[in-house]
Amino acid sequence: MRYFRALGATAFATATGLALVGTAFTGTGTAEAASASSTSLYAPSALVLTLGQGSRPSTATVVRAVTLSCSPTPAGTHPAPEEACAELNAAGGDFGQVMAISGDRPCTREWNPVTVTGDGVWQGRRVHWSATYGNDCELRSRTAEGAVFAF
């Protein structure tokens, strides 16, 4: 009786393992999708965006941070991943272009620097970007209509 129980458990574990392996390799159920998804270890567009207090990215105290993945579908902890991915796609992943959006919002000349960063992989290439603004108002004025750093 013990032999049959052990054999039954082994057969169940083997069948379950094969079923899991099958789903891991097929993803959407097609061989083409399986080979396309296994060509890279990383998502083609996965970023970590931060907002920190301070004038240098290496020493700024991170106040807020979000993740943003734009492939295969917009996702992450970013509050508006669809809009942020659309902006980055329109700018070809160039954060400088995204931050070039400027508003007419008046700001004080207070020096309380904030630094924003974008690190990760964009369409298969490694990216590291940062910019420092005099204060939070100046940052918000530059991105008044943008969603990438609106978190």
Side-chain angles (χ1 to χ4, degrees), residues 22 24-39:
F25 285 110
T26 58
T28 60
T30 65
E32 291 174 86
S35 64
S37 66
S38 63
T39 59

Side-chain angles (χ1 to χ4, degrees), residues 47-50 57 88 93-100 115-120 126-133 139 142-143 148-149:
L47 304 164
V48 175
L49 307 173
T50 67
L88 283 167
D94 182 0
F95 284 98
Q97 249 188 351
V98 170
M99 298 306 282
T115 299
V116 289
T117 66
D119 287 300
R126 178 84 171 96
V127 294
H128 174 76
W129 178 87
S130 66
T132 300
Y133 299 92
L139 167 67
R142 285 293 214 98
T143 61
V148 175
F149 287 99

Side-chain angles (χ1 to χ4, degrees), residues 51 53 64 99 101-114 133-144:
L51 179 126
Q53 225 29 73
R64 293 187 298 272
M99 298 306 282
I101 301 168
S102 62
D104 293 332
R105 181 178 178 180
C107 294
T108 63
R109 296 187 60 114
E110 167 191 21
W111 180 249
N112 187 15
V114 292
Y133 299 92
N135 55 47
D136 192 56
C137 178
E138 186 181 321
L139 167 67
R140 297 297 165 219
S141 178
R142 285 293 214 98
T143 61

Side-chain angles (χ1 to χ4, degrees), residues 12-89:
F12 176 75
T14 303
T16 304
L18 289 174
L20 291 175
V21 167
T23 55
F25 285 110
T26 58
T28 60
T30 65
E32 291 174 86
S35 64
S37 66
S38 63
T39 59
S40 175
L41 289 174
Y42 301 103
S45 298
L47 304 164
V48 175
L49 307 173
T50 67
L51 179 126
Q53 225 29 73
S55 60
R56 294 178 43 202
S58 60
T59 59
T61 301
V62 175
V63 178
R64 293 187 298 272
V66 295
T67 58
L68 179 65
S69 176
C70 295
S71 181
T73 59
T77 59
H78 194 286
E82 293 84 9
E83 292 86 358
C85 287
E87 284 179 21
L88 283 167
N89 279 325

